[in-house]
Amino acid sequence: MIDGGNRLEGEVVISGAKNSALPIIASTILNSNQVEITNCPDIHDVSIMFDILETLGCKVHKDKSSVRIDASNLNGFEIPENLMHEMRSSVIIVGAMLGRMKKCVFTYPGGCEIGARPINIHLEGFKQLGVSIVETQGKITCECEKLFGADITLDFPSVGATENLMLASCLADGITYIRNVAREPEIKDLQDFLNEMGAKIVGAGSNTIVVNGVKELHEASHTVIPDRIEAGTYLCMAVATRGNVLLKNVIPEHLASTIHKLRQIGAKVETKKDMISIRMINEILPVNIKTMPYPGFPTDMQSQFASLLTVSSGTSIIVETIFENRFKYVNELIRMGANITIEGRSAIIQGVEKLNGANVEMRDLRGGAGLVIAGLMASGTSEISGISFLERGYENFIKKLQLIGAKINKK
Ligand code: EPZ
């Protein structure tokens, strides 16, 4: 339940990044020694990853935002279908499992339905490392005697495929080149963690990653980077309510394209080492946005900006180039009085005077965040259902918002 129109003011401490913690937790399977991960967000997707590790024989000790993982007694190589179905990132386990056990049995991953989300690039890369892949009745069995270094070029800079091939080639025989890779900050964070465990990887952040296979890994500890998408979401909420908010524990460089668009909208944004302050006084100006792989504008910020632009002083166009079905939230915004037309992969947003509170439903994680932004802006009360989507990726969402003045609560 949100009572809209309340100005947000105060400080928000950003949590660890979901999209970094998930591949890092998955990669601990490569290691038969203990590891410690700190700044790990307490969100639903992370607990699913822990559940998968425990079913495979790992021990997981959580203490607030730090976790110790012991994968010395790994005893399985089949990922339970129900857990695979719950979350897209479960597919990252496959690369780690191949590295450690040379075998993995799994089904197609689930997760937010924002597009077809095939895994062909992952499987194509595994084949080049010497993995045989058999699919029977929806079950995929990947196995090999040994993994061999290879020269792999990705058809698209897929985040998941880049991570999976980094994991699978860590313990391979020889050197692996992975070209046209994703350059997201989460890839660099994964490389840093793997190297802290004794891997030999260079190139994260560029378009080619080189993995020099090693025999084994050792104990390590790592602090997960801050969540740039959580940070971007709170910045949009501050703008939505003409607020004045300071974000702490954030890496401003990771939000360069988001901050650029916020300034174009008319927000005053200042950055310091690990802080971002934002103030919004004037009307929201229209902007055009095209989602792109990093360092381009993140697709995970698309719906939050769409909400803001529903009340801009003109017409904005958002082009979604990464996922083919990521406008599910639009009908809900239209129920709140927005004027949006969808043409193929573009949303044409005609700014209106104001939004009205309404009963709306979340259909995925980031679309859900967009609806909360609309609820904070709207006049009157909004009832937003489906918040389990939000709890997948935002830690202590309601509490953090209440602390900066939002009239929001769970019913
Ligand atoms: C990661 O998903 C993120 N998830 C997503 O965030 C994010 O939207 C996405 O990268 C793009 O930035 C995590 O990191 C856990 P991709 P991923 O593989 O790895 C196509 C959120 O809200 N593709 O880079 O699944 C695919 O269909 C989530 O936090 C293939 O065709 O994304 C898509 O159109 C949502 N074949 C495009 O590439 C493949 O084998 C990008 O997908 C793999 C991908």
Side-chain angles (χ1 to χ4, degrees):
M1 303 296 286
I2 303 179
D3 291 336
N6 295 285
R7 195 164 171 274
L8 298 184
E9 201 150 7
E11 295 181 4
V12 180
V13 178
I14 297 301
S15 304
K18 166 179 86 75
N19 292 348
S20 191
L22 293 172
I24 283 176
I25 295 167
S27 71
T28 60
I29 280 183
L30 284 163
N31 196 341
S32 52
N33 299 283
Q34 287 210 9
V35 297
E36 183 178 29
I37 302 166
T38 54
N39 201 31
C40 191
D42 179 15
I43 52 177
H44 187 60
D45 277 12
V46 165
S47 53
I48 297 174
M49 201 54 106
F50 290 150
D51 293 349
I52 297 177
L53 263 58
E54 283 172 339
T55 60
L56 296 169
C58 302
K59 291 203 186 61
V60 180
H61 307 284
K62 280 170 279 178
D63 172 15
K64 297 199 187 69
S65 67
S66 87
V67 56
R68 287 191 75 78
I69 297 174
D70 176 350
S72 54
N73 295 324
L74 197 67
N75 55 24
F77 47 71
E78 177 149 3
I79 306 174
E81 184 166 355
N82 61 325
L83 294 174
M84 197 80 200
H85 191 66
E86 275 217 49
M87 178 176 65
R88 167 79 185 181
S89 312
S90 47
V91 76
I92 310 291
I93 299 256
V94 179
M97 193 64 85
L98 282 169
R100 174 84 180 273
M101 308 286 273
K102 308 295 178 276
K103 183 171 184 176
C104 188
V105 179
F106 60 102
T107 49
Y108 279 98
C112 286
E113 290 166 18
I114 52 181
R117 308 187 82 176
I119 56 171
N120 54 311
I121 304 175
H122 302 236
L123 300 180
E124 199 44 53
F126 290 151
K127 278 187 201 145
Q128 293 178 56
L129 292 169
V131 176
S132 77
I133 300 175
V134 178
E135 187 174 338
T136 41
Q137 286 146 349
K139 260 201 181 157
I140 304 166
T141 302
C142 290
E143 61 185 317
C144 57
E145 290 298 313
K146 220 174 173 184
L147 291 156
F148 297 95
D151 195 326
I152 303 168
T153 301
L154 306 187
D155 288 347
F156 181 87
S158 152
V159 172
T162 301
E163 294 164 343
N164 237 337
L165 296 169
M166 285 165 77
L167 300 189
S169 53
C170 264
L171 303 174
D173 223 3
I175 300 180
T176 299
Y177 297 85
I178 318 170
R179 304 181 195 281
N180 191 28
V181 293
R183 299 163 55 193
E184 273 68 2
E186 293 78 23
I187 303 286
K188 173 78 173 48
D189 203 27
L190 178 62
Q191 173 183 285
D192 293 346
F193 174 60
L194 293 169
N195 287 345
E196 277 149 15
M197 294 200 293
K200 289 195 170 46
I201 309 177
V202 294
S206 77
N207 60 15
T208 300
I209 286 173
V210 183
V211 183
N212 204 326
V214 297
K215 289 272 168 288
E216 60 176 358
L217 302 175
H218 53 67
E219 285 216 4
S221 63
H222 181 80
T223 300
V224 175
I225 58 172
D227 196 316
R228 61 193 168 97
I229 305 297
E230 183 197 21
T233 304
Y234 281 102
L235 293 175
C236 287
M237 287 167 178
V239 170
T241 62
R242 304 294 189 283
N244 183 355
V245 169
L246 174 67
L247 301 187
K248 289 190 165 173
N249 184 37
V250 63
I251 302 175
E253 298 78 63
H254 291 173
L255 284 101
S257 59
T258 298
I259 291 172
H260 171 62
K261 284 295 166 189
L262 286 168
R263 286 181 172 141
Q264 279 187 340
I265 276 182
K268 203 164 166 359
V269 184
E270 276 154 35
T271 63
K272 283 209 185 86
K273 191 167 119 340
D274 59 355
M275 290 194 267
I276 301 176
S277 70
I278 188 162
R279 222 151 39 81
M280 185 68 180
I281 302 164
N282 306 321
E283 63 178 358
I284 292 177
L285 302 171
V287 293
N288 293 334
I289 288 172
K290 190 176 188 178
T291 66
M292 298 289 278
Y294 190 91
F297 185 89
T299 171
D300 295 346
M301 285 302 303
Q302 180 250 96
S303 47
Q304 296 91 318
F305 272 77
S307 280
L308 281 184
L309 296 168
T310 58
V311 294
S312 85
S313 58
T315 304
S316 311
I317 298 177
I318 294 185
V319 182
E320 173 54 59
T321 73
I322 309 289
F323 291 105
E324 64 275 19
N325 190 7
R326 200 162 204 183
F327 288 130
K328 284 199 186 142
Y329 60 88
V330 166
N331 285 338
E332 304 304 300
L333 288 179
I334 291 172
R335 291 158 61 82
M336 299 176 80
N339 178 348
I340 307 176
T341 321
I342 300 295
E343 282 177 18
R345 292 230 188 159
S346 302
I348 296 119
I349 308 173
Q350 187 75 48
V352 296
E353 189 64 30
K354 64 179 179 60
L355 295 182
N356 308 309
N359 297 356
V360 291
E361 188 185 349
M362 298 181 185
R363 303 287 174 76
D364 57 65
L365 168 62
R366 306 304 174 184
L371 292 180
V372 170
I373 289 170
L376 291 167
M377 286 193 300
S379 62
T381 303
S382 297
E383 178 168 330
I384 309 181
S385 56
I387 64 170
S388 56
F389 281 112
L390 223 53
E391 288 159 347
R392 296 183 59 134
Y394 291 96
E395 186 178 50
N396 289 336
F397 192 79
I398 292 178
K399 191 141 170 294
K400 285 190 183 185
L401 268 176
Q402 286 171 339
L403 284 173
I404 54 175
K407 297 272 179 295
I408 180 170
N409 59 66
K410 205 170 170 175
K411 197 175 98 176

